[in-house]
Amino acid sequence: FLSLVAEFCCGFFVILILGNFWFLAVLYLLWLYLDWETPCAGGRRSQWVRSWTVWKYFREYFPIHLIKTSELNPNHNYLLGFHPHGVLVAGAFGNFCTDPPFKNLFPGLTPYLHIMPIWFGCPFFREYIMSAGMVSASKESVSHVLNNEGGGHASVIVIGGAEESLNAHPGSLTLNILKRKGFIKMALKHGAHLVPVFSFGENELFKQVANPKGSWLRNVQEKLQKIMGFALPLFHARGVFQYSFGLIPYRQPIHTVVGSPIPVKQNLNPTTEEIDQLHALYLQKLKKLFEEHKSNYGIPAHKSLIFE
């Protein structure tokens, strides 16, 4: 969905340049230059955009549900680790970039969904995603959010990143997380409490062309991901009037379960050992969250998370 909107925005910008409105394109480029750092400085959210009626229908289509398991004190800042990436990241967008799901369950907290910086270089599209509450996933951006002295900020990071989308097959429970420890270091440096979040149903929205590790397709996808910064999963789902083939996601329920916070004491210069210890604790809490709730959402008892 975001890719389609981005393509439309870029196409509109090209039309401005090639048409009789090139001066508007020049003015926008000037604005882009002056506003370049905003995605790393908290963005520019719009309550009006986040409350559009279309988001209500978007959430009801699947439907998307946000489940609260513990209170989050708004006097603290939090770093929410979202799993899995899936293809669409529908649970993250529906719950953290539209109102009122998160606002109703966690009053006093403002969520910021961190996404790849490359998206903020797209003309016009950057204004739209910032208005929804999305900001850059750069270190500077995460630090800006978690530096809020009065608390009340929640950084939402899709830990597996674009690479994990290549594992987004129905029934897949593989998470790219063992080597991803940057979010742990950020939480320690800012004293932000860690919260594991698991979105049941996220991988069921699309079918992806078979790409097992070691296959020629997976090798090509991984090379392109390293070059471009984002992955290109080959997926399909249903059409508008038929269910056999198309790019519209299947109507599968998504239940995004927000776990209990892991208290983190601020440590400006954490050692490798301290980072590893907290990372191990986070994995333990994430696995516990999954095991406690998997039976509610159709996951067989013998299946468990796989960490890579």
Side-chain angles (χ1 to χ4, degrees):
F1 175 75
L2 289 180
S3 297
L4 291 175
V5 177
E7 290 175 9
F8 173 81
C9 291
C10 289
F12 179 69
F13 185 71
V14 171
I15 291 174
L16 288 181
I17 294 176
L18 298 179
N20 295 324
F21 302 98
W22 58 267
F23 61 94
L24 292 178
V26 172
L27 288 176
Y28 183 80
L29 287 175
L30 177 60
W31 161 255
L32 195 63
Y33 173 76
L34 296 174
D35 194 56
W36 190 254
E37 296 300 324
T38 300
C40 294
R44 187 170 44 249
R45 71 178 52 223
S46 165
Q47 191 59 44
W48 175 67
V49 172
R50 289 174 60 89
S51 301
W52 280 351
T53 303
V54 67
W55 303 137
K56 175 177 178 291
Y57 294 117
F58 173 81
R59 295 191 301 268
E60 291 177 350
Y61 171 80
F62 298 97
I64 296 174
H65 304 281
L66 186 64
I67 292 87
K68 175 182 179 179
T69 64
S70 179
E71 294 293 338
L72 297 182
N73 189 332
N75 292 325
H76 298 296
N77 292 317
Y78 297 88
L79 195 159
L80 278 61
F82 184 91
H83 313 270
H85 184 287
V87 171
L88 189 64
V89 205
F93 179 81
N95 288 311
F96 304 116
C97 295
T98 72
D99 286 331
F102 189 85
K103 183 171 65 174
N104 285 352
L105 288 181
F106 301 100
L109 280 181
T110 302
Y112 295 82
L113 179 60
H114 296 270
I115 64 175
M116 292 184 296
I118 190 173
W119 291 113
F120 296 97
C122 180
F124 301 114
F125 179 66
R126 69 189 297 275
E127 320 303 335
Y128 159 68
I129 55 179
M130 279 197 290
S131 66
M134 293 182 232
V135 292
S136 172
S138 67
K139 292 180 181 179
E140 296 78 12
S141 178
V142 177
S143 291
H144 185 277
V145 173
L146 297 181
N147 264 335
N148 194 42
E149 293 185 1
H153 280 188
S155 278
V156 183
I157 301 177
V158 184
I159 305 300
E163 182 182 356
E164 194 173 85
S165 67
L166 299 179
N167 290 326
H169 296 271
S172 174
L173 296 173
T174 300
L175 303 181
N176 290 47
I177 191 171
L178 290 182
K179 295 181 180 180
R180 295 178 180 266
K181 300 179 182 180
F183 72 104
I184 298 292
K185 188 174 183 180
M186 295 300 292
L188 282 166
K189 282 191 171 184
H190 298 283
H193 295 352
L194 281 166
V195 182
V197 179
F198 195 87
S199 197
F200 292 89
E202 198 74 44
N203 283 338
E204 318 304 315
L205 306 185
F206 296 92
K207 293 180 180 178
Q208 189 172 167
V209 175
N211 60 341
K213 288 196 172 182
S215 65
W216 70 268
L217 176 57
R218 186 61 168 257
N219 290 335
V220 170
Q221 289 175 319
E222 290 177 348
K223 288 180 181 178
L224 289 175
Q225 191 263 327
K226 290 179 180 179
I227 295 172
M228 300 183 297
F230 57 89
L232 293 173
L234 299 179
F235 60 89
H236 64 89
R238 54 161 291 185
V240 179
F241 301 111
Q242 45 78 28
Y243 291 85
S244 58
F245 188 83
L247 296 179
I248 298 176
Y250 293 116
R251 297 192 70 177
Q252 295 290 338
I254 299 172
H255 295 86
T256 303
V257 183
V258 181
S260 301
I262 303 171
V264 177
K265 185 177 180 180
Q266 187 173 26
N267 183 347
L268 296 178
N269 295 292
T271 64
T272 300
E273 182 181 359
E274 289 169 332
I275 293 173
D276 289 343
Q277 287 179 348
L278 184 56
H279 186 260
L281 177 59
Y282 179 86
L283 294 183
Q284 177 186 332
K285 295 294 184 180
L286 174 59
K287 187 172 184 179
K288 181 182 178 182
L289 176 71
F290 174 81
E291 293 294 332
E292 288 178 346
H293 294 273
K294 68 180 183 181
S295 61
N296 297 331
Y297 308 115
I299 307 295
H302 68 278
K303 286 200 168 186
S304 297
L305 293 178
I306 300 172
F307 296 143
E308 289 187 346

XYZ file of all heavy atoms in Angstrom, residues 152-205:
402
model
N 6.430 9.487 28.147
C 5.243 9.528 27.294
C 5.490 9.257 25.828
O 4.567 9.371 25.023
N 6.723 8.898 25.449
C 7.030 8.587 24.056
C 7.283 7.092 23.902
O 7.891 6.456 24.767
C 8.260 9.357 23.579
C 7.959 10.769 23.216
N 8.889 11.598 22.599
C 6.843 11.519 23.353
C 8.347 12.789 22.387
N 7.109 12.759 22.843
N 6.840 6.540 22.767
C 7.036 5.119 22.494
C 7.585 4.946 21.084
O 6.878 5.195 20.103
C 5.726 4.353 22.657
N 8.845 4.548 20.994
C 9.454 4.229 19.691
C 9.030 2.819 19.309
O 9.221 1.880 20.086
C 10.981 4.293 19.775
O 11.456 5.607 19.659
N 8.458 2.663 18.120
C 8.057 1.345 17.628
C 9.005 0.965 16.495
O 9.044 1.650 15.467
C 6.601 1.350 17.130
C 6.195 -0.056 16.694
C 5.656 1.873 18.214
N 9.776 -0.098 16.690
C 10.762 -0.519 15.700
C 10.461 -1.946 15.259
O 10.309 -2.841 16.097
C 12.195 -0.449 16.276
C 12.510 0.987 16.724
C 13.215 -0.911 15.242
C 13.888 1.139 17.366
N 10.361 -2.138 13.948
C 10.184 -3.481 13.397
C 11.572 -4.113 13.371
O 12.363 -3.865 12.459
C 9.555 -3.439 11.988
C 9.299 -4.855 11.487
C 8.263 -2.636 12.005
N 11.866 -4.920 14.378
C 13.234 -5.379 14.627
C 13.823 -6.167 13.455
O 14.985 -5.983 13.093
C 13.286 -6.240 15.911
C 12.696 -5.457 17.104
C 14.717 -6.668 16.197
C 13.410 -4.174 17.431
N 13.049 -7.036 12.846
C 13.571 -7.873 11.766
C 13.918 -7.121 10.505
O 14.674 -7.620 9.666
N 13.364 -5.923 10.344
C 13.654 -5.105 9.182
C 13.197 -5.728 7.872
O 12.504 -6.747 7.842
N 13.606 -5.093 6.777
C 13.196 -5.543 5.443
C 13.648 -6.965 5.151
O 12.965 -7.722 4.457
C 13.748 -4.586 4.389
N 14.788 -7.345 5.694
C 15.324 -8.689 5.455
C 14.342 -9.769 5.901
O 14.212 -10.818 5.272
C 16.655 -8.847 6.192
C 17.336 -10.186 5.973
C 18.625 -10.312 6.771
O 19.011 -9.326 7.432
O 19.230 -11.398 6.737
N 13.626 -9.491 6.980
C 12.698 -10.483 7.532
C 11.478 -10.700 6.651
O 10.830 -11.746 6.730
C 12.257 -10.048 8.934
C 11.564 -11.126 9.736
C 11.314 -10.684 11.157
O 10.271 -10.005 11.399
O 12.141 -10.984 12.040
N 11.173 -9.719 5.794
C 10.017 -9.871 4.912
C 10.202 -11.040 3.941
O 9.221 -11.584 3.429
C 9.766 -8.579 4.124
O 10.818 -8.319 3.207
N 11.451 -11.431 3.700
C 11.715 -12.559 2.801
C 11.325 -13.891 3.443
O 11.248 -14.916 2.770
C 13.187 -12.574 2.396
C 13.680 -11.331 1.645
C 15.169 -11.447 1.328
C 12.881 -11.106 0.364
N 11.082 -13.870 4.765
C 10.625 -15.070 5.465
C 9.114 -15.067 5.678
O 8.575 -15.959 6.340
C 11.294 -15.178 6.841
C 12.775 -15.487 6.754
O 13.209 -16.198 5.852
N 13.557 -14.954 7.685
N 8.432 -14.062 5.123
C 7.013 -13.874 5.408
C 6.127 -14.814 4.604
O 5.397 -14.408 3.698
C 6.618 -12.416 5.142
N 6.193 -16.082 4.950
C 5.321 -17.092 4.353
C 4.249 -17.475 5.373
O 4.517 -17.450 6.585
C 6.125 -18.336 3.964
C 7.151 -18.088 2.905
N 6.870 -18.196 1.561
C 8.465 -17.732 2.983
C 7.959 -17.933 0.859
N 8.946 -17.642 1.705
N 3.060 -17.821 4.933
C 2.024 -18.260 5.880
C 2.543 -19.396 6.767
O 3.138 -20.358 6.278
C 0.898 -18.745 4.961
C 1.055 -17.918 3.728
C 2.539 -17.770 3.550
N 2.360 -19.242 8.061
C 2.815 -20.251 9.005
C 4.240 -20.075 9.469
O 4.681 -20.744 10.416
N 4.992 -19.156 8.854
C 6.393 -18.952 9.234
C 6.491 -18.273 10.594
O 5.762 -17.329 10.897
C 7.113 -18.099 8.185
O 8.428 -17.782 8.625
N 7.418 -18.763 11.422
C 7.648 -18.186 12.749
C 9.126 -17.856 12.940
O 9.628 -17.829 14.053
C 7.183 -19.169 13.831
C 5.684 -19.481 13.845
C 5.377 -20.589 14.850
C 4.873 -18.233 14.184
N 9.807 -17.586 11.828
C 11.238 -17.285 11.867
C 11.460 -15.778 11.973
O 10.946 -15.004 11.163
C 11.942 -17.814 10.601
O 11.760 -19.233 10.516
C 13.432 -17.504 10.642
N 12.223 -15.370 12.981
C 12.502 -13.953 13.208
C 13.994 -13.673 13.056
O 14.829 -14.405 13.596
C 12.055 -13.539 14.623
C 10.589 -13.772 14.997
C 10.330 -13.281 16.415
C 9.654 -13.083 14.012
N 14.327 -12.621 12.347
C 15.722 -12.178 12.218
C 16.042 -11.273 13.392
O 15.746 -10.075 13.363
C 15.922 -11.421 10.897
C 15.841 -12.336 9.703
O 14.931 -13.150 9.601
N 16.788 -12.211 8.793
N 16.662 -11.812 14.421
C 16.848 -11.016 15.633
C 18.152 -11.299 16.374
O 18.618 -10.454 17.147
C 15.649 -11.237 16.599
C 15.665 -10.228 17.735
C 15.632 -12.688 17.111
C 14.428 -10.249 18.591
N 18.780 -12.442 16.160
C 19.953 -12.806 16.948
C 21.103 -11.802 16.798
O 21.831 -11.547 17.764
C 20.436 -14.207 16.551
C 19.520 -15.365 16.964
C 20.136 -16.692 16.551
C 19.260 -15.358 18.466
N 21.278 -11.232 15.617
C 22.370 -10.288 15.391
C 21.912 -8.832 15.494
O 22.722 -7.915 15.325
C 23.000 -10.534 14.014
C 23.673 -11.887 13.881
C 24.300 -12.055 12.511
C 24.975 -13.417 12.365
N 25.586 -13.600 11.018
N 20.641 -8.644 15.760
C 20.101 -7.281 15.831
C 20.054 -6.815 17.287
O 19.138 -7.166 18.032
C 18.725 -7.219 15.176
C 18.795 -7.516 13.673
C 17.442 -7.508 13.015
N 17.572 -7.795 11.599
C 17.677 -6.879 10.637
N 17.666 -5.596 10.964
N 17.786 -7.230 9.371
N 21.065 -6.024 17.650
C 21.187 -5.590 19.044
C 21.257 -4.073 19.172
O 21.399 -3.546 20.280
C 22.433 -6.231 19.679
C 22.394 -7.752 19.668
C 23.641 -8.367 20.274
C 23.591 -9.894 20.209
N 24.800 -10.516 20.792
N 21.149 -3.368 18.032
C 21.208 -1.908 18.086
C 20.084 -1.318 18.923
O 20.286 -0.333 19.652
N 18.890 -1.919 18.845
C 17.755 -1.389 19.614
C 17.976 -1.588 21.111
O 17.500 -0.792 21.931
C 16.445 -2.044 19.156
C 16.253 -3.477 19.562
C 15.384 -3.805 20.599
C 16.917 -4.505 18.908
C 15.183 -5.129 20.974
C 16.717 -5.823 19.263
C 15.854 -6.147 20.309
N 18.709 -2.641 21.473
C 19.023 -2.885 22.882
C 19.956 -1.785 23.399
O 19.766 -1.235 24.491
C 19.699 -4.259 23.058
C 18.757 -5.380 22.624
C 20.164 -4.448 24.499
C 17.556 -5.576 23.512
N 20.955 -1.453 22.583
C 21.913 -0.400 22.964
C 21.207 0.940 23.109
O 21.491 1.706 24.046
C 23.020 -0.314 21.921
C 24.174 0.598 22.311
C 25.298 0.517 21.293
C 26.481 1.379 21.711
N 27.599 1.299 20.721
N 20.264 1.234 22.210
C 19.523 2.492 22.296
C 18.671 2.548 23.556
O 18.589 3.590 24.221
C 18.641 2.659 21.055
C 19.398 2.821 19.746
S 20.488 4.266 19.728
C 19.271 5.576 19.751
N 18.042 1.432 23.896
C 17.220 1.389 25.104
C 18.073 1.635 26.347
O 17.666 2.374 27.259
C 16.512 0.035 25.199
N 19.263 1.046 26.396
C 20.158 1.239 27.531
C 20.639 2.686 27.629
O 20.651 3.284 28.707
C 21.359 0.299 27.420
C 21.108 -1.164 27.807
C 22.247 -2.054 27.334
C 20.936 -1.284 29.319
N 21.039 3.259 26.495
C 21.564 4.625 26.503
C 20.527 5.642 26.979
O 20.880 6.672 27.562
C 22.062 5.006 25.108
C 23.429 4.423 24.769
C 23.980 5.047 23.499
C 25.421 4.648 23.272
N 26.020 5.323 22.096
N 19.265 5.370 26.710
C 18.217 6.335 27.063
C 17.357 5.897 28.238
O 16.453 6.632 28.649
C 17.328 6.597 25.845
C 18.065 7.201 24.683
N 18.409 8.539 24.641
C 18.548 6.657 23.543
C 19.065 8.787 23.521
N 19.170 7.670 22.841
N 17.633 4.715 28.766
C 16.832 4.231 29.885
C 15.388 3.989 29.491
O 14.477 4.134 30.319
N 15.170 3.622 28.248
C 13.810 3.366 27.758
C 13.440 1.917 28.052
O 14.210 0.996 27.757
C 13.736 3.633 26.253
N 12.265 1.713 28.623
C 11.820 0.364 28.932
C 11.510 -0.390 27.638
O 10.886 0.151 26.717
C 10.584 0.408 29.830
C 10.842 1.006 31.182
N 12.102 1.313 31.630
C 9.988 1.346 32.185
C 12.025 1.814 32.856
N 10.751 1.851 33.219
N 11.936 -1.647 27.579
C 11.721 -2.476 26.398
C 10.385 -3.210 26.487
O 10.023 -3.728 27.544
C 12.843 -3.502 26.262
C 14.175 -3.019 25.679
C 15.267 -4.052 25.930
C 14.042 -2.738 24.193
N 9.660 -3.243 25.364
C 8.372 -3.932 25.334
C 8.309 -4.820 24.088
O 8.300 -4.312 22.966
C 7.189 -2.937 25.307
C 5.859 -3.693 25.326
C 7.262 -1.971 26.470
N 8.259 -6.156 24.253
C 8.099 -7.030 23.088
C 6.663 -6.994 22.576
O 5.711 -6.961 23.371
C 8.455 -8.420 23.644
C 8.139 -8.334 25.098
C 8.416 -6.905 25.506
N 6.513 -6.971 21.261
C 5.187 -6.944 20.632
C 5.159 -8.019 19.551
O 6.036 -8.036 18.677
C 4.891 -5.561 19.995
C 3.517 -5.572 19.317
C 4.960 -4.461 21.047
N 4.167 -8.904 19.622
C 4.050 -9.923 18.576
C 2.697 -9.795 17.889
O 1.655 -9.733 18.546
C 4.204 -11.334 19.131
C 4.448 -12.350 18.041
C 5.726 -12.605 17.597
C 3.387 -13.007 17.428
C 5.968 -13.509 16.569
C 3.610 -13.911 16.399
C 4.906 -14.167 15.967
N 2.740 -9.755 16.551
C 1.530 -9.558 15.751
C 1.121 -10.881 15.095
O 1.645 -11.255 14.044
C 1.792 -8.481 14.692
O 0.591 -7.982 14.150
N 0.210 -11.601 15.733
C -0.268 -12.871 15.210
C -1.097 -12.635 13.939
O -1.995 -11.788 13.927
C -1.129 -13.584 16.253
C -0.372 -14.061 17.456
C -0.200 -13.232 18.565
C 0.178 -15.325 17.474
C 0.503 -13.672 19.682
C 0.891 -15.781 18.588
C 1.051 -14.949 19.693
N -0.786 -13.379 12.878
C -1.516 -13.246 11.620
C -0.809 -12.382 10.601
O -1.237 -12.308 9.440
N 0.281 -11.740 10.984
C 0.989 -10.818 10.085
C 1.524 -11.527 8.841
O 1.548 -10.954 7.754
C 2.145 -10.157 10.839
C 2.673 -8.892 10.194
C 1.746 -7.698 10.368
O 1.234 -7.498 11.477
O 1.531 -6.974 9.361
N 1.949 -12.770 9.000
C 2.516 -13.504 7.866
C 1.476 -14.237 7.028
O 1.831 -14.913 6.060
C 3.550 -14.522 8.368
C 4.872 -13.871 8.735
O 5.188 -12.778 8.277
N 5.648 -14.533 9.576
N 0.204 -14.100 7.399
C -0.847 -14.840 6.690
C -1.529 -14.010 5.606
O -2.424 -14.499 4.919
C -1.921 -15.317 7.685
C -1.395 -15.868 8.988
C -0.414 -17.009 8.795
O -0.699 -17.896 7.966
O 0.641 -17.003 9.464
N -1.114 -12.762 5.429
C -1.820 -11.855 4.523
C -1.508 -12.086 3.052
O -2.294 -11.724 2.178
C -1.493 -10.397 4.883
C -1.734 -9.987 6.338
C -1.475 -8.496 6.507
C -3.129 -10.358 6.796
